Structures are given as C-alpha cells and as structure tokens.
Amino acid sequence: MQKIIDAHVHLSERGDDALIRFAGMNGLRYTLDELLDTMRRLEIMRGLLLSPPMRGGTPLPNQEIIGLCAKSSGMLAPVITAEPTAKEVKTAISLAEENKKEVKAFKIRLGYVKASAESPVFDKLYDYAESKGLPVLFHTGDTAFSTGDLSRAQPLTLDGLANKREELAMVLCHFGNPWFEDVAELIYKHPNVYADISGLVTPGAYAEKYAEWLAKKISEAIYFAAGAEKIIFGTDYPVSKHSETLALVRRLEVDEPDKEKILWRNAERVFHL
Ligand SMILES: [Zn+2]
C-alpha cells in the first residue's frame, strides 16, 4: 500500500478563521470530518496540524490544535506555533513538554510576525527543539495576505541560522515560493535544512500553466540538489487541495523512488513518525 504523510495541514472550528476564504475558493467545507475523509480516501495516513491564522492576525491557540488532534483517531499530530515574545516562547515550550508524545514540531510564522528567524527571542525555542530533535517549520516566501513582510520571509534569511544551528532540523514551508532556486541552494548546502511543497497549488487564471511551472521548478531543484531527500509533501489544506498537491508530485520529472521519499519517507525520518 502506498503510504503518504501530509506534513502541513491547517484546521479550526471557528468562524473567524482567515483561511475560510481559501477553503471557499477551493470548494472545501474545511471541517475535521472532511479532512479525515479526504485523507482516508487518498491513503494519507498522517497529517501534521498547524494553527491557521485568525482574522485579527493571531494564530489559533495551540491548545485548540492539540484538541483537534485528539479527536482525529491518531491521524493528526500537533505542531506548536511559537510567536515572538518571551512569554509565548516559554508557553510553547511548556506545551510541547506537556504533550511530548504527540507534538512533532514547532512553527514560526516568518513574514506574519515582527521578528526574523535569527531574532534572539527564539533562542530558547531553538535550544529546546535541538535538544529534543524536534524540527522547526518556517513560513517562507509569499504571504497569504498583502500585509505580509517579505523581507523576513525570504528563504535566504534562514542561511545564517542554519550555519549557527547545525543540529536544528529546519523545514522551509512552501519551498520559499517564488524563490525556488534559493531554497534549492539551502537544502543542498545544509544537511539540516528541508523544504515542503505545501500551499503552492492555488486556483486562478493560467492554473494549468502555473501547475506545470511549479512542477518544473521543483524538478529542477531536485536536479540541483542531486536528490529528493530534503523535500517533504504537504498540502497546506485548505489553501491547496489534497488531490491537486498529489497531482503536483505525479507531475515531477524525477524517478519513482524520489516521489516516494517526498510523499512519506522524508517526513517519517525528519519528524520521527
Ligand atoms: Zn500553512
């Protein structure tokens, strides 16, 4: 049986969830039932659940993410989002410690928060993550809202941190879109840097041409990095549909064993699933 891991999923049960707009564009109900049904249908065995942004700009409280995962019959595992204040970093670490059997990673919302990857406020989080072997996911590239800060979400801003923290597994979300070549260099250069392909496929004019372009960019990154060991499947549900993100993997002009690495082998290794 093919086994797939979706390393980037969002969900809430709140009316002020800012991703409802994307769910609407994709014709998704954006509910726990829909998510789990889709995962079962497409043989996606596990998903990592991350806080969606709320309309006020703050992320859904981590406790609600842990609660949703508890209702998922073991299909979803929580990722703890850490915001850039000493208090929130401390709380994020405590939550990870209290739920250490479940929590698989941390997330930092570069481009949405007023801090960069190397801001000292995250030092304790990185220390903890390194000591526990928990990867840190970083939003990189285009932001979902026009108010985002691209100068802090540009993937090359992670190079310095990767140099300093060779034991920290870092996952660059959305392949740094549109800076695919920068991410190709980062995953090639650093043994501890990975990239996910979540949230890339979106509806709109030229959707078919855009999907082709994406497949070409990611395939080329694999040629450059001389392998697909650092690339991880994720959807960013409800921003991208499961079926369309799987179609993106099928379109890649790489060998089948490399697609298998992308679909689950790499995530299983990096997140210790
Ligand atoms: Zn996301």
Side-chain angles (χ1 to χ4, degrees):
M1 191 184 99
Q2 191 181 24
K3 112 182 183 187
I4 301 169
I5 296 168
D6 182 351
H8 194 134
V9 185
H10 296 285
L11 187 69
S12 78
E13 289 173 331
R14 303 227 319 217
D16 58 343
D17 183 322
L19 299 186
I20 289 174
R21 183 165 70 89
F22 293 89
M25 289 183 333
N26 282 315
L28 295 166
R29 294 201 318 278
Y30 190 38
T31 62
L32 183 60
D33 280 347
E34 178 189 66
L35 172 61
L36 298 182
D37 284 349
T38 306
M39 287 174 68
R40 286 189 198 103
R41 183 165 44 84
L42 297 173
E43 296 179 342
I44 300 173
M45 298 174 67
R46 297 205 76 185
L48 299 188
L49 190 64
L50 290 59
S51 289
M54 298 291 107
R55 262 191 225 120
T58 56
L60 182 78
N62 287 306
Q63 281 292 5
E64 294 189 36
I65 287 297
I66 292 170
L68 285 164
C69 290
K71 291 198 280 182
S72 74
S73 321
M75 290 177 74
L76 300 172
V79 171
I80 301 292
T81 298
E83 296 285 276
T85 67
K87 188 169 166 244
E88 284 168 297
V89 164
K90 202 172 160 214
T91 310
I93 294 170
S94 308
L95 258 184
E97 189 61 27
E98 286 158 24
N99 300 277
K100 59 180 158 214
K101 283 214 180 82
E102 288 80 32
V103 171
K104 300 300 173 197
F106 291 103
K107 164 90 185 284
I108 292 179
R109 304 188 310 141
L110 296 179
Y112 298 101
V113 294
K114 290 189 170 27
S116 53
E118 287 192 76
S119 296
V121 70
F122 293 125
D123 283 351
K124 286 207 170 78
L125 185 87
Y126 298 148
D127 289 344
Y128 180 82
E130 268 180 331
S131 72
K132 302 292 174 183
L134 286 170
V136 179
L137 279 64
F138 295 89
H139 175 91
T140 57
D142 180 51
T143 52
F145 314 104
S146 60
T147 49
D149 182 353
L150 292 178
S151 66
R152 286 172 166 138
Q154 215 289 342
L156 288 181
T157 62
L158 278 303
D159 183 50
L161 184 67
N163 281 337
K164 275 189 242 160
R165 300 250 182 197
E166 292 186 321
E167 298 304 312
L168 182 69
M170 300 164 54
V171 181
L172 279 47
C173 301
H174 324 302
F175 227 99
N177 187 22
W179 294 293
F180 292 92
E181 286 185 6
D182 292 359
V183 171
E185 166 59 7
L186 289 165
I187 62 176
Y188 172 68
K189 179 188 178 216
H190 296 287
N192 55 326
V193 175
Y194 303 82
D196 84 25
I197 60 165
S198 71
L200 296 172
V201 190
T202 45
Y206 295 104
E208 185 59 27
K209 286 284 173 202
Y210 175 59
E212 265 173 41
W213 178 83
L214 284 172
K216 186 164 176 281
K217 290 286 174 190
I218 296 166
S219 299
E220 286 171 353
I222 295 169
Y223 311 149
F224 177 80
E229 284 70 23
K230 313 297 283 300
I231 300 174
I232 293 172
F233 176 77
T235 56
D236 209 12
Y237 171 89
V239 177
S240 293
K241 290 169 85 160
H242 293 81
S243 55
E244 290 176 357
T245 315
L246 285 169
L248 172 62
V249 176
R250 278 196 299 273
R251 266 178 198 269
L252 298 178
E253 291 185 38
V254 300
D255 299 338
E256 287 305 312
D258 276 337
K259 293 184 186 177
E260 204 172 293
K261 287 176 193 166
I262 295 168
L263 287 173
W264 65 273
R265 281 190 195 277
N266 296 336
E268 189 175 73
R269 185 178 79 249
V270 174
F271 296 105
H272 313 290
L273 297 175

